[in-house]
């Protein structure tokens, strides 16, 4: 059993706070993804679990046991980094077996565990090669192998794929998912690639940087669908989704609407300014004679399978994502924009909190 628990964890470097008020429980065997912009403390959070960085206050527990004050080697945690830092003079087998050698295991046990890791990662044919004789993806697999041989209860991945080209990232993403099926361990995966976050995680934890004025890092934790469909605040709404969610200001006293289309009453106890959010795929482009938010198409980006259509309106420029290729939107056309029924979000402009639906 290796659930991981952050209890009121804070971390400062000198006077600069990086992590504050972090409370999070990762279940045993769960695969959770940490996402957030650069500098929001993702790596710091992982390094505190691994024991490479001390907490300033609060407690971290692994399997119900406090690890504060425990040496990294006593935590049964393996970490895989972006730079895989293999030993160039050692073979693949030597690199994978290195942590066991350092731990003083017998040659027979090392050989056995290296073989087992190589089988899982399809590295069998390469065991005698040196890192320079491998592709980037194979090298990253060796780095994974070096973590697997230790049989850790917890795997921490810090942007392990960001050095790889786009194709390789996709195939390695699949391999890590398969690895996850074969090895029951608790896994935390850091990335700022939202496709990775959406496709890999049982749950996603979205972090914000304290330096931008946030009093705590964790903006929302939930399944990918929950975060995408019901973002708890503007930060999460803006962070997940590409193109980004459209946000339209609803002034004090106004009702959320797309032109003549009312989207329902303003929540009774909310007097101030609101932001109405609609995702690009939830905007339909209708003929200018239909009801909706009037606009003119400024730009059409053709992506092959779909179009991103930029429409100038009185509420600013909105982006609609059009998957129906028969529509062929054209730059300069006058149109009316209509939101899909029920597919909108309302946020308090000042606090950023979701208020409806
Ligand atoms: N040893 C250190 N001393 C001082 N400041 C540090 C140290 N390590 C990290 N920081 C600062 O802490 C903040 C969080 O860093 P961290 O590496 O955890 O961010 P991150 O979310 O992993 O970012 P990225 O996505 O760029 O990897 C940054 O502002 C960074 O400059
Ligand atoms: Mg980092």
């Amino acid at each position: 059993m290796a659930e991981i628990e952050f209890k009121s964890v804070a971390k400062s470097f000198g006077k600069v706070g990086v992590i504050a008020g972090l409370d999070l429980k990762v279940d045993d065997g769960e695969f959770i993804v940490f996402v957030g912009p650069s500098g929001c403390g993702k790596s710091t959070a992982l390094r505190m679990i691994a024991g490479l960085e001390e907490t300033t206050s609060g407690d971290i527990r692994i399997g119900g046991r406090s690890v504060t004050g425990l040496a990294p080697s006593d935590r049964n945690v393996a970490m895989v980094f972006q730079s895989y830092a293999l030993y160039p003079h050692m073979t693949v087998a030597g690199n994978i077996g290195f942590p066991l050698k350092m731990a003083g295991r017998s040659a027979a046990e090392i050989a056995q565990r290296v073989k087992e890791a190589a089988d899982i990662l399809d590295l069998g044919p390469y065991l005698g090669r040196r890192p320079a004789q491998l592709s980037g993806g194979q090298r990253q697999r060796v780095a994974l192998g070096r973590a697997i041989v230790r049989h850790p209860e917890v795997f921490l991945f810090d942007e392990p794929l960001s050095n790889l080209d786009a194709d390789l990232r996709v195939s390695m993403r699949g391999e890590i998912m398969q690895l996850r099926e074969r090895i029951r361990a608790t896994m935390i995966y850091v990335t700022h690639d939202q496709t990775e976050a959406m496709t890999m995680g049982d749950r996603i934890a979205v972090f914000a940087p304290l330096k931008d004025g946030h009093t705590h890092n964790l903006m929302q934790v939930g399944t990918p669908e929950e975060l995408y469909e019901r973002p708890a605040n503007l930060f999460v709404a803006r962070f997940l989704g590409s193109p980004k969610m459209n946000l339209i200001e609803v002034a004090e006293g106004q009702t959320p609407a797309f032109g003549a289309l009312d989207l329902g009453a303003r929540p009774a106890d909310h007097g101030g300014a609101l932001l109405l959010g609609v995702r690009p795929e939830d905007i339909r482009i209708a003929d200018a004679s239909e009801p909706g938010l009037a606009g003119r198409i400024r730009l059409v980006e053709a992506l092959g399978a779909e179009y991103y259509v930029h429409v100038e309106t009185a509420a600013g420029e909105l982006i609609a994502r059009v998957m129906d290729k028969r529509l062929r939107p054209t730059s300069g056309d006058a149109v009316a924009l209509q939101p899909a029924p029920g597919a909108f979000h309302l946020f308090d402009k000042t606090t950023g909190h979701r208020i409806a639906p």
Side-chain angles (χ1 to χ4, degrees), residues 85-101:
L86 303 177
Y87 297 106
H89 58 285
M90 284 185 201
T91 61
V92 168
N95 270 286
I96 295 177
F98 188 72
L100 301 177
K101 196 168 171 193

Side-chain angles (χ1 to χ4, degrees), residues 239-356:
F239 194 78
L240 295 177
S242 177
K244 287 186 188 308
M245 182 186 283
N246 295 292
L247 292 167
I248 298 171
E249 185 150 346
V250 182
E252 171 115 39
Q254 272 180 3
T255 303
F258 259 47
L261 294 174
D262 269 359
L263 300 182
R266 164 186 274 270
D269 47 351
H270 266 89
L274 309 178
L275 287 175
L276 166 65
V278 183
R279 294 215 181 265
E281 64 271 28
D282 293 327
I283 293 186
R284 178 173 168 258
I285 299 183
D287 192 85
S289 62
E290 289 188 47
L293 183 59
R296 188 169 294 279
I297 298 179
R298 189 183 66 75
L299 172 71
V300 179
E301 295 179 85
L303 279 91
E306 59 189 0
Y307 302 106
Y308 295 167
V309 184
H310 300 244
V311 182
E312 209 87 78
T313 75
E317 180 169 307
L318 306 191
I319 299 186
R321 198 167 151 189
V322 176
M323 272 88 129
D324 183 348
K325 304 211 67 179
R326 289 164 302 181
L327 279 176
R328 292 196 166 275
T330 310
S331 229
D333 281 1
V335 295
L337 300 181
Q338 304 175 334
F344 67 92
H345 313 258
L346 279 181
F347 304 94
D348 182 303
K349 192 186 173 196
T350 313
T351 64
H353 293 151
R354 178 189 196 87
I355 54 174

